Amino acid sequence: LLQLFRPLDMLGMVYRTVRQGLIDMAEMFRLIDTEPEVRDAPGAPGLVVRQPTVVFDQVVFGYEDGRTILHGLSFEVPAGSHVAIVGPSGAGKSTIGRLLFRFYDPWSGRILIDGQDITQVTQASLRRAVGIVPQDSVLFNDTIGYNIAYGRDDADVKRVIQAARAAAILPLIERLPEGFDTEVGERGLKLSGGEKQRVAIARTLVKDPPILLLDEATSALDSRTEQEILATLRRVSKDRTTLAIAHRLSTIADADRILVLDHGRLTESGTHRELLAARGLYAEMWARQQAEKGTPTETMN
Ligand code: ATP
């Protein structure tokens, strides 16, 4: 009976998360037995990443005919740098992440990783190169080890342990009598939001991806847990090209570059200080969020 319920449980969880953010949509398509819209080009080679630079070049995209969401978006994330995307709700931030992971293809324009158009390489190689830490992670009703190793088909024990250590979840696992074999999820050990997030980070790190896509990765957490997770993310993203999609500006103020997206167009870009000085949409959003927190706004003097 358990076996019968498992796929259904999983589908429910996967579906909920897809609606909210970014997860492995290929898995969802497999589960609901539908053909994905995106296919590998015939004879497509694997993506070869030497310098993990990400480029959006005049990208135009919408989900439905007649409703354009991204209007010719161009930006570059230099190899090893940290770029954050901010902007009002519905601006198209998560859409950028979905396109980078190739859940959809642009209507026109190109997305390049290390100079290679992502529509011209295999999806498997693309998804191995880009690690996603989604806003709400999916935990399967299986062991904690399975949940981490799921990030990569050929993950061996050593990799799983390394990933758990880097995500700072190893001490918890080591305290469990059954260790990595502990069942988690609805019928197993209940993990807190922060612990789930750490499992998601470990799952991503198992792939050792040169590029990280952080989708509002700490939104559901209390502020202390959020700070701890942010510290972990900062550590694991240190030498990786990182694109962070954020609502709360305080979590990305130290990014090398911040892109402000409004109605599918880039309206501003710069460092936190530059954008405050520009007194545009970013400065306005920053002031509003500081006021909500009840702390004085930062001044530029
Ligand atoms: P938020 O900060 O609220 O998460 P966002 O900037 O990430 O917003 P997106 O999720 O990228 O915004 O959505 C941009 C626009 O695309 C929105 O108007 C949204 O309604 C629309 N949209 C998103 N996903 C789909 C979809 N699967 N089908 C149709 N429209 C969609």
Side-chain angles (χ1 to χ4, degrees):
L1 195 66
L2 277 181
Q3 286 301 323
L4 185 70
F5 276 114
R6 257 156 91 137
L8 289 177
D9 277 2
M10 197 149 88
L11 182 58
M13 276 192 297
V14 170
Y15 183 66
R16 273 200 302 278
T17 312
V18 165
R19 285 197 333 201
Q20 288 161 13
L22 288 162
I23 65 124
D24 189 347
M25 266 212 197
E27 181 67 8
M28 188 193 76
F29 286 126
R30 193 181 65 72
L31 291 169
I32 59 177
D33 206 18
T34 356
E35 284 291 310
E37 287 174 33
V38 166
R39 289 164 189 270
D40 284 354
L47 175 69
V48 181
V49 187
R50 296 196 180 87
Q51 286 290 316
T53 304
V54 175
V55 170
F56 273 57
D57 176 21
Q58 292 294 322
V59 171
V60 177
F61 174 74
Y63 295 93
E64 300 148 10
D65 288 347
R67 186 164 172 239
T68 309
I69 303 291
L70 300 179
H71 302 264
L73 194 62
S74 298
F75 65 86
E76 178 176 344
V77 188
S81 72
H82 289 201
V83 168
I85 299 174
V86 303
S89 181
K93 304 183 293 295
S94 300
T95 301
I96 291 173
R98 293 182 196 120
L99 291 178
L100 178 60
F101 213 60
R102 219 184 150 212
F103 289 150
Y104 305 92
D105 284 334
W107 288 350
S108 65
R110 295 181 311 163
I111 300 168
L112 308 167
I113 292 179
D114 196 2
Q116 297 145 79
D117 184 330
I118 64 169
T119 63
Q120 302 304 312
V121 297
T122 61
Q123 292 170 74
S125 64
L126 170 68
R127 289 172 187 170
R128 188 165 276 200
V130 181
I132 294 185
V133 181
Q135 46 183 297
D136 190 7
S137 40
V138 179
L139 276 196
F140 300 115
N141 290 325
D142 208 303
T143 64
I144 198 159
Y146 173 87
N147 271 282
I148 295 173
Y150 176 81
R152 182 171 171 148
D153 322 342
D154 60 350
D156 57 26
V157 177
K158 209 171 127 210
R159 265 181 181 276
V160 171
I161 293 174
Q162 268 172 1
R165 182 178 293 122
I169 187 88
L170 191 60
L172 171 99
I173 295 171
E174 285 177 338
R175 280 197 305 274
L176 298 168
E178 291 183 79
F180 281 96
D181 295 327
T182 307
E183 294 277 332
V184 293
E186 286 168 19
R187 277 179 293 276
L189 179 72
K190 303 272 183 295
L191 296 178
S192 71
E195 290 160 353
K196 270 188 3 196
Q197 201 58 268
R198 290 190 185 283
V199 172
I201 295 169
R203 183 186 290 166
T204 300
L205 293 180
V206 142
K207 297 199 293 186
D208 196 16
I211 299 166
L212 276 182
L213 181 59
L214 311 179
D215 185 21
E216 184 80 327
T218 58
S219 58
L221 307 174
D222 64 69
S223 66
R224 178 157 160 243
T225 311
E226 178 184 13
Q227 287 312 317
E228 289 167 2
I229 298 279
L230 280 172
T232 302
L233 287 174
R234 230 168 257 137
R235 207 173 55 241
V236 304
S237 62
K238 199 164 164 284
D239 297 316
R240 302 175 209 260
T241 305
T242 306
L243 189 60
I245 294 162
H247 275 289
R248 268 171 305 162
L249 306 184
S250 56
T251 62
I252 50 89
D254 60 352
D256 297 319
R257 192 169 189 80
I258 299 166
L259 309 177
V260 183
L261 193 71
D262 194 14
H263 294 100
R265 291 189 165 85
L266 275 188
T267 53
E268 294 168 43
S269 91
T271 62
H272 172 71
R273 295 202 139 254
E274 289 164 358
L275 291 174
L276 285 186
R279 297 183 183 279
L281 180 59
Y282 181 88
E284 208 179 284
M285 288 168 61
W286 178 261
R288 201 178 323 127
Q289 292 193 7
Q290 294 299 303
E292 279 164 14
K293 278 202 294 187
T295 51
T297 52
E298 185 172 318
T299 61
M300 288 307 299
N301 304 326

